[in-house]
Amino acid sequence: MELNTREVSALIWCFVAVVWLTVKAKKNGTSYNLMNVVRTFFCKPILTVVIASIVWVCICVLILWQLGAWSVENLKTTIIWFIGSAFLGLMKSTNSQGESESDYLKKYFQGLLGLSVIVVFLAESYTLPIYFELALFPVIFFFSAIGVIAKSRPEHQAVGRAGEWVVGAIALIFIIYSIANIFGAPTDFFSWKKLSDLFLPVIFSIAFFPFVMFLRVGMAYENLFKRMSFWMKDKALLRYAKRRAAITFGIDIDALGLWCDSLAYQKRDIATRKDIDQTLSAAIKNKVHERLRLSVAVEKGWNPYDAKDFLKQERLVCRHYKAIYDGWGGESNLIKIRDGQLSTISYYVTGDESAVQSLRLKLFMWKGEDIQQAEKMFARLCILLASRAVPHIPEEHLIRFSTLQEMDLVFEHWRFKMHQEAFDDQSVADYQRTFEIEIF
């Protein structure tokens, strides 16, 4: 299992980083040295998942070896895939806000079967001499880190793009170097060993997917049952709820999540097994409606499952439309105006079981933070929401929304309202601005 110069340079720099961090920790008198980090990482839950994933991969390797598709020569490729792609898949296995199972599946297989797989393979096929690799590794790491940080800070986007260009240029050098070597010795490249290095990671990722899904389902049930155990004190009723949930939803994480969200508003009314069964039936019914997406008359409102996704591309997604205290509705996650600050924007939909009658955007502004950037972002989202909710809305109305002035405007079946609510002087917050579109 011979290491190439790129892998050697990566190991050297990792060793340097570990030594530097350890020395710095001791110099500062902190107890959070390398061993403490290792102990934290290998706690029982994480260690259980890691061991289970290793066992799963070993079984896959054994099957491929029996089929003649794997040999000891592929060991390095297998280890690199496991440390990189497999662990990345495990870290991304938890449900993110607004992400449905179809969203997760699409992202997983796009990363698995996309053009980037071939591009990365070409770039990794041949490596430069060790001194070039040692010099380029910290450059790639530095500019890649800049690109990641810049994604969460709009004011640094220009620097982030510059970093992406630098990394892209280095990747292009790797690809050109590899192509030159391929033309120089085509028989070395077009061999079974090279082809297996290309296809084995893809095969492993496909074989690893059932394990990832099993982990996703297990974590979804564990999180739900932990939440339920805080407020459902009747142990027999709790066991019944767990058993009925597993039978009813199986591996359907979306439906399970919908039921979980609904319970937050119904838990005070749940005292018997019949109450549990009713909530399960309501969740299944809601899930069927979400899949059917029945059309709603314009004067009645919007289809709930379309309306909750109006701002999905802006990361404002209402995960589920469900029964709440005073009707039906859904609320999005909060997105920060700027990384490291507290001012946020959120999105809400409310209505009845069959239609949404109100769409609301809220800006919660904290004192001393960037008001100009916050209101610019909020105005853009108001225009975007109005455009998607009312496709033929006049341009002059959109221009008026961008001013964020107080208004109460009626257009055909819709009413647009913008208002600002100031907080008292003792509050750490400054004000809350609301933009609402409702059926008139």
Side-chain angles (χ1 to χ4, degrees):
M1 190 175 67
E2 185 180 352
L3 299 177
N4 60 37
T5 56
R6 190 164 302 155
E7 292 158 355
V8 171
S9 67
L11 289 174
I12 290 173
W13 278 109
C14 288
F15 176 76
V16 170
V18 168
V19 171
W20 181 77
L21 289 172
T22 304
V23 171
K24 186 177 179 182
K26 288 183 178 180
K27 193 173 182 180
N28 294 337
T30 58
S31 61
Y32 296 102
N33 55 26
L34 182 62
M35 291 307 299
N36 287 333
V37 175
V38 171
R39 291 190 196 99
T40 302
F41 181 79
F42 286 101
C43 61
K44 186 176 179 180
I46 295 177
L47 195 59
T48 302
V49 172
V50 171
I51 292 174
S53 62
I54 291 173
V55 171
W56 185 281
V57 172
C58 288
I59 293 172
C60 294
V61 167
L62 183 62
I63 294 172
L64 291 173
W65 178 64
Q66 290 292 330
L67 295 174
W70 190 91
S71 66
V72 177
E73 291 182 343
N74 303 122
L75 181 60
K76 186 180 77 171
T77 301
T78 305
I79 293 174
I80 292 173
W81 167 84
F82 182 77
I83 294 174
S85 299
F87 266 98
L88 191 63
L90 290 176
M91 286 188 291
K92 293 182 176 180
S93 63
T94 54
N95 279 332
S96 62
Q97 179 70 27
E99 183 182 63
S100 64
E101 281 304 283
S102 59
D103 293 333
Y104 178 79
L105 289 172
K106 186 183 295 184
K107 285 198 302 185
Y108 187 92
F109 285 103
Q110 278 178 347
L112 182 64
L113 305 173
L115 183 62
S116 60
V117 174
I118 297 176
V119 173
V120 171
F121 175 72
L122 282 174
E124 296 288 339
S125 295
Y126 294 90
T127 57
L128 298 169
I130 185 65
Y131 43 85
F132 282 121
E133 294 289 350
L134 281 170
L136 288 173
F137 185 86
V139 175
I140 295 171
F141 179 83
F142 175 75
F143 284 102
S144 298
I146 287 177
V148 171
I149 294 171
K151 286 181 180 179
S152 60
R153 299 187 178 183
E155 68 275 16
H156 295 157
Q157 284 184 356
V159 178
R161 284 193 292 269
E164 290 173 357
W165 276 103
V166 172
V167 175
I170 295 174
L172 184 61
I173 292 172
F174 288 155
I175 292 171
I176 293 172
Y177 182 76
S178 294
I179 292 174
N181 278 275
I182 291 170
F183 279 105
T187 54
D188 292 340
F189 181 78
F190 294 102
S191 62
W192 171 249
K193 174 65 171 62
K194 285 289 184 182
L195 287 175
S196 63
D197 286 343
L198 171 61
F199 291 111
L200 268 178
V202 177
I203 294 171
F204 277 132
S205 295
I206 294 173
F208 196 63
F209 182 71
F211 179 83
V212 175
M213 290 305 299
F214 176 80
L215 184 63
R216 281 172 65 81
V217 172
M219 286 190 296
Y221 276 104
E222 182 182 9
N223 291 336
L224 168 63
F225 295 155
K226 279 184 178 179
R227 289 172 61 182
M228 290 178 65
S229 63
F230 284 117
W231 58 268
M232 190 176 289
K233 301 305 179 183
D234 186 334
K235 301 301 181 183
L237 187 62
L238 179 60
R239 287 194 297 270
Y240 177 79
K242 291 179 178 180
R243 185 170 64 253
R244 290 286 294 124
I247 295 172
T248 303
F249 301 118
I251 62 172
D252 191 343
I253 298 178
D254 286 340
L256 178 68
L258 194 155
W259 183 59
C260 179
D261 288 351
S262 299
L263 288 179
Y265 297 93
Q266 303 176 54
K267 57 187 180 184
R268 294 181 181 177
D269 301 323
I270 297 175
T272 65
R273 293 188 174 191
K274 183 178 179 180
D275 296 331
I276 293 290
D277 293 338
Q278 287 177 344
T279 61
L280 290 168
S281 299
I284 292 297
K285 181 182 177 182
N286 200 359
K287 188 63 182 177
V288 170
H289 288 171
E290 183 173 0
R291 289 175 177 169
L292 292 176
R293 294 192 179 235
L294 301 174
S295 60
V296 177
V298 174
E299 65 275 9
K300 298 291 185 180
W302 299 271
N303 180 287
Y305 310 103
D306 293 332
K308 74 181 183 66
D309 290 344
F310 278 157
L311 298 176
K312 185 175 182 177
Q313 293 179 345
E314 304 295 326
R315 298 178 294 117
L316 283 168
V317 186
C318 302
R319 183 169 173 81
H320 295 297
Y321 187 73
K322 55 190 178 294
I324 56 179
Y325 294 127
D326 54 353
W328 284 70
E331 66 284 342
S332 76
N333 54 312
L334 303 174
I335 59 171
K336 292 185 177 181
I337 302 298
R338 187 174 175 179
D339 191 47
Q341 296 190 357
L342 299 173
S343 298
T344 58
I345 294 178
S346 51
Y347 174 53
Y348 303 84
V349 296
T350 53
D352 56 33
E353 185 175 2
S354 59
V356 166
Q357 284 97 34
S358 173
L359 314 171
R360 279 176 294 148
L361 268 174
K362 285 190 175 184
L363 165 64
F364 191 83
M365 194 70 213
W366 283 64
K367 291 178 180 177
E369 297 188 349
D370 194 338
I371 293 178
Q372 185 176 3
Q373 182 183 347
E375 295 202 332
K376 181 179 179 182
M377 182 177 178
F378 187 71
R380 181 179 63 83
L381 291 173
C382 290
I383 293 172
L384 184 59
L385 178 60
S387 301
R388 292 181 177 171
V390 186
H392 57 284
I393 187 171
E395 185 69 24
E396 59 265 26
H397 291 342
L398 296 178
I399 294 174
R400 186 174 177 185
F401 299 154
S402 67
T403 65
L404 301 183
Q405 295 177 354
E406 297 276 334
M407 70 179 72
D408 191 341
L409 173 68
V410 174
F411 170 69
E412 295 185 3
H413 302 289
W414 302 276
R415 187 173 193 168
F416 304 88
K417 293 190 290 186
M418 180 89 67
H419 66 274
Q420 177 178 320
E421 177 186 355
F423 294 101
D424 57 59
D425 293 336
Q426 295 180 350
S427 174
V428 292
D430 196 355
Y431 64 86
Q432 177 177 282
R433 189 183 297 280
T434 304
F435 175 67
E436 183 174 8
I437 309 174
E438 60 182 8
I439 294 299
F440 180 67

